[in-house]
Amino acid sequence: MNLIKLAKASCVSVLCIIISINSYAQPTANFTATPTSGCAPLLVNFTDQSTGNPTSWRWDLGNGTISQLQNASVVYFNPGQYSVKLKVLNAAGTDSIIRTQYINVYAKPTIEFSASAYAGCPPANISFTDLSTPGSGTNSSWNWDFGNGTSSNLQNPSIVYNNTGSYSITLLVTNSFGCTSALTKDTIIKITDKPVASFVNSSTANCGAPLTINFIDQSTGTGNLTYSWNFGDGTTSTDQNPSHTYLTTGSFSPKLIVYNQSGCSDTIIRTNSINIANNITMFTVNPTECANTPITITNSTTPNPINVFWDFGDGTTSTVSNPVKSYTTPGTYQIKMINNYGICMDSMTRTITVKAQPTAEFIASPLSSCYAPLTVHFTSSSANAVSYSWNFGDGGTSSLENPTHIYVRQGNFTVTLTTTAANGCTKTTTMSQYINIQLPVVSINELPQMGCAPFEWTFHHTVFGGDSIVSYHWNFGDGTTSNLQSPTHVFDSGVYNIVLVIVTSTGCTDTVTYVGGIKAGVRPHAAFIANPLNTCARYPVAFTDLSTPVTSITQWLWDFGDSTTSILQNPQHAYTDTGYFTIQLIAINNGCPDTLVVPDYIHIFPPIAKFKILFDCSERLKRTFIDSSIGA
């Protein structure tokens, strides 16, 4: 019989709730997260995308974090997969969504490595072995820093140390999920007692063969040194200070290897330091160009010089092999190229005439309007121009100096003018979105607003399109108006529709009405009772609003102390946990609130039946049931 009464009461309650929320839409929970995967610690921002205008949110982020913000954020410190639940509520009811294993947090690699040797003399060839574990996934990339300015992306690289010193080794490993870790072992590689190879050579004009060069050893090192020379033309020597004659043309790279008594060596190569050739210094450029126009200079020198220096004859220079030059002043200029081939240098000069460029300048009137057609007069103020080419941005063109153009449709139009001088030089000027023809569209910013009466608010607006605004007319819905651009008004208790009318300089108007834009209320007195105060879990507790004055309250916000809420005036709530619960009611009159909090008001007795199910992918048909009941 009790069950029948309870069922009847539940049906009546459900019917009441359906009747009370008949004018509201059932919410649908939905959300996204950014990012949904990454390396620990991982900061994830959750964005509520629920529909149905929910008024409260409860996030269970899977790591013990609960949030009641609309858009939650959390840092996942431990690797693993996390399921996320969002529960939303409005006057029509609740909805929830669970994204299972939605957030994936990956572990970083653990770094370790070894070396084939930890000491030597230059050049010391040392191999490194990666001993790292990936944490999550597999190791996918390696970044070694060998402490001598070199690096490698191989898993097990080798490096040659050419200088003495103590070197720290750093290995950074990235796994297949993009997680990285690094390990530095300080000064574990020690390279000592190495000779330093060095030499100088005499230089004479080397633009022709044969050429005799004297090489002078300047190497340093301990003990007796021995020498191995390679002159770059197939001949060698073991003398300390040899003399060598080059018999053919070309670029040669002499090399010296110095050995000490321990067998350590050092090598120096002076790449292409000796050049013996019939050099061709050559470049081409158009003999006439227009001012303020990029001029391409083509360098056809063979072979490539060590460096090149350009003098453009107007006080500017360049060291680029194929420079692009622009002259600002008309005139005749000498362009000189100087090639440095090492010991020998060569140069070439050409003359270029730079012609004057016209200007392309204009104004237009009018520049804006609300309506089409619009007749616009264009006036050119260009200098040195003999012909004109207009593009009005709507498909129309003209070759007149001062054309008149009729725009027959609304839009934003870019105008381009290209002028041509008598010498053939041109100049183009483009004015982006220069002509604007469109109706104004006005909107009122930051509405709706609500609060306790007297409620003061300063209004702002935004206008898109049209020409300049010449008047404003605000209607505050309480019988008062204003012609100010951004007026401030004080509202008595009530709900007000806000209206703004604007007028432009050409007589265009636009009106915007914000229904219920301002709500001002008198502060109520929040009060309530509940029955029963002591009951078992899952049995409904009826909450009765006693707030006054009853007729002035427009909203109720209940917090039942177990992370659930309600916006009903007289809700019922069944608890799914045990203990004492603090109840809060916020009574609101058009945005003016009063809050009542009663600590430990409701007491819920155990037990609560709960269980969870575990499974193992390796045994697809097996399930393990785990009791997690409370107070059983």
Side-chain angles (χ1 to χ4, degrees):
M1 180 63 70
N2 290 333
L3 293 176
I4 296 174
K5 289 182 178 180
L6 180 59
K8 291 182 177 179
S10 299
C11 291
V12 172
S13 299
V14 171
L15 179 59
C16 292
I17 292 173
I18 293 173
I19 294 173
S20 66
I21 64 173
N22 188 46
S23 60
Y24 295 87
Q26 176 76 22
T28 300
N30 194 14
F31 66 91
T32 60
T34 304
T36 58
S37 64
C39 306
L42 178 66
L43 171 62
V44 180
N45 295 311
F46 295 87
T47 301
D48 170 50
Q49 293 189 339
S50 304
T51 59
N53 297 317
T55 57
S56 67
W57 302 261
R58 184 179 188 272
W59 297 84
D60 185 343
L61 302 176
N63 65 342
T65 300
I66 303 298
S67 174
Q68 295 184 5
L69 298 176
Q70 180 179 5
N71 300 301
S73 297
V74 69
V75 177
Y76 294 94
F77 291 95
N78 299 317
Q81 293 182 314
Y82 296 88
S83 298
V84 179
K85 177 180 180 181
L86 170 61
K87 181 178 180 182
V88 297
L89 178 148
N90 68 9
T94 64
D95 189 32
S96 63
I97 183 174
I98 299 177
R99 299 195 190 280
T100 304
Q101 298 179 350
Y102 185 50
I103 304 300
N104 293 276
V105 183
Y106 307 118
K108 296 181 178 180
T110 300
I111 312 303
E112 185 53 73
F113 61 89
S114 63
S116 60
Y118 296 92
C121 58
N125 191 343
I126 298 178
S127 298
F128 294 89
T129 301
D130 169 48
L131 304 174
S132 303
T133 57
S136 294
T138 60
N139 287 339
S140 60
S141 68
W142 298 262
N143 193 331
W144 296 82
D145 185 341
F146 301 111
N148 64 345
T150 60
S151 60
S152 175
N153 293 324
L154 299 177
Q155 181 179 5
N156 300 302
S158 295
I159 180 66
V160 176
Y161 287 93
N162 293 307
N163 299 301
T164 61
S166 297
Y167 299 92
S168 299
I169 308 302
T170 298
L171 171 59
L172 185 147
V173 176
T174 303
N175 65 23
S176 55
F177 291 104
C179 303
T180 62
S181 293
L183 172 64
T184 298
K185 294 187 178 182
D186 294 327
T187 63
I188 64 167
I189 304 298
K190 301 183 184 300
I191 309 299
T192 59
D193 297 329
K194 177 182 179 297
V196 177
S198 180
F199 68 89
V200 296
N201 55 272
S202 62
S203 58
T204 59
N206 63 335
C207 291
L211 175 65
T212 299
I213 303 292
N214 296 318
F215 296 89
I216 302 173
D217 168 54
Q218 292 187 336
S219 305
T220 59
T222 58
N224 295 325
L225 303 179
T226 57
Y227 308 89
S228 175
W229 293 86
N230 187 322
F231 301 115
D233 62 349
T235 59
T236 60
S237 175
T238 57
D239 294 340
Q240 182 178 2
N241 298 299
S243 178
H244 178 65
T245 300
Y246 290 90
L247 302 177
T248 60
T249 62
S251 297
F252 304 97
S253 302
K255 178 174 73 172
L256 170 61
I257 305 176
V258 179
Y259 300 88
N260 63 13
Q261 292 175 313
S262 300
C264 296
S265 64
D266 187 36
T267 301
I268 182 172
I269 301 175
R270 301 198 185 279
T271 304
N272 296 329
S273 61
I274 297 175
N275 294 279
I276 308 171
N278 294 321
N279 303 315
I280 300 175
T281 297
M282 178 66 68
F283 73 91
T284 57
V285 65
N286 290 334
T288 59
E289 288 285 0
C290 297
N292 300 306
T293 301
I295 301 170
T296 299
I297 302 173
T298 303
N299 185 353
S300 54
T301 297
T302 58
N304 291 329
I306 296 175
N307 54 61
V308 60
F309 179 83
W310 298 86
D311 185 339
F312 299 114
D314 63 348
T316 63
T317 60
S318 176
T319 58
V320 177
S321 179
N322 293 283
V324 177
K325 169 63 179 172
S326 178
Y327 290 92
T328 59
T329 304
T332 300
Y333 300 92
Q334 300 292 323
I335 300 178
K336 184 177 183 180
M337 177 179 68
I338 303 173
N339 286 330
N340 178 8
Y341 297 97
I343 297 177
C344 123
M345 302 182 71
D346 196 10
S347 64
M348 179 183 182
T349 301
R350 290 191 183 277
T351 301
I352 183 172
T353 299
V354 179
K355 300 180 294 184
Q357 186 186 42
T359 64
E361 300 175 358
F362 63 90
I363 58 174
S365 179
L367 297 179
S368 61
S369 178
C370 300
Y371 302 107
L374 175 66
T375 301
V376 180
H377 303 284
F378 294 88
T379 302
S380 170
S381 56
S382 307
N384 300 322
V386 296
S387 65
Y388 306 84
S389 177
W390 296 84
N391 186 323
F392 300 115
D394 63 347
T397 60
S398 177
S399 59
L400 298 177
E401 180 179 1
N402 301 303
T404 296
H405 182 67
I406 300 175
Y407 289 90
V408 296
R409 59 182 174 86
Q410 292 185 334
N412 297 319
F413 303 98
T414 296
V415 179
T416 300
L417 170 61
T418 300
T419 60
T420 304
N423 57 20
C425 294
T426 63
K427 174 68 174 179
T428 298
T429 296
T430 298
M431 302 292 284
S432 180
Q433 297 185 354
Y434 189 53
I435 305 299
N436 299 285
I437 308 172
Q438 62 184 85
L439 291 171
V441 178
V442 64
S443 62
I444 304 175
N445 303 337
E446 301 173 338
L447 292 187
Q449 294 291 329
M450 59 182 63
C452 297
F455 179 71
E456 182 180 275
W457 184 251
T458 299
F459 292 89
H460 301 279
H461 69 283
T462 302
V463 179
F464 296 96
D467 48 351
S468 60
I469 309 301
V470 296
S471 71
Y472 306 84
H473 181 77
W474 296 83
N475 188 322
F476 301 118
D478 59 356
T480 61
T481 62
S482 174
N483 293 324
L484 298 178
Q485 182 176 355
S486 296
T488 298
H489 187 65
V490 178
F491 293 86
D492 292 330
S493 176
V495 178
Y496 303 95
N497 300 331
I498 308 301
V499 180
L500 171 60
V501 180
I502 63 167
V503 180
T504 71
S505 61
T506 57
C508 298
T509 66
D510 189 38
T511 301
V512 59
T513 300
Y514 206 115
V515 178
I518 298 294
K519 296 180 180 180
V522 177
R523 189 180 305 278
H525 176 72
F528 67 87
I529 59 172
N531 183 44
L533 300 180
N534 299 280
T535 186
C536 297
R538 306 190 191 280
Y539 283 82
V541 177
F543 293 87
T544 302
D545 171 53
L546 300 178
S547 304
T548 58
V550 175
T551 58
S552 67
I553 299 175
T554 58
Q555 285 181 277
W556 297 265
L557 300 178
W558 295 85
D559 188 329
F560 301 119
D562 61 349
S563 300
T564 60
T565 60
S566 175
I567 61 172
L568 299 179
Q569 181 179 5
N570 299 299
Q572 287 192 351
H573 180 62
Y575 287 86
T576 59
D577 200 356
T578 62
Y580 289 89
F581 297 91
T582 295
I583 308 304
Q584 174 181 282
L585 169 61
I586 303 176
I588 303 172
N589 176 18
N590 284 335
C592 187
D594 186 49
T595 301
L596 173 62
V597 178
V598 182
D600 298 335
Y601 187 55
I602 301 299
H603 182 207
I604 304 299
F605 303 112
I608 294 178
K610 297 173 66 176
F611 67 94
K612 57 185 177 181
I613 305 174
L614 304 181
F615 66 92
D616 188 341
C617 291
S618 63
E619 299 180 82
R620 298 175 55 190
L621 300 182
K622 179 180 178 182
R623 296 293 184 273
T624 301
F625 296 85
I626 305 298
D627 173 56
S628 56
S629 302
I630 301 174

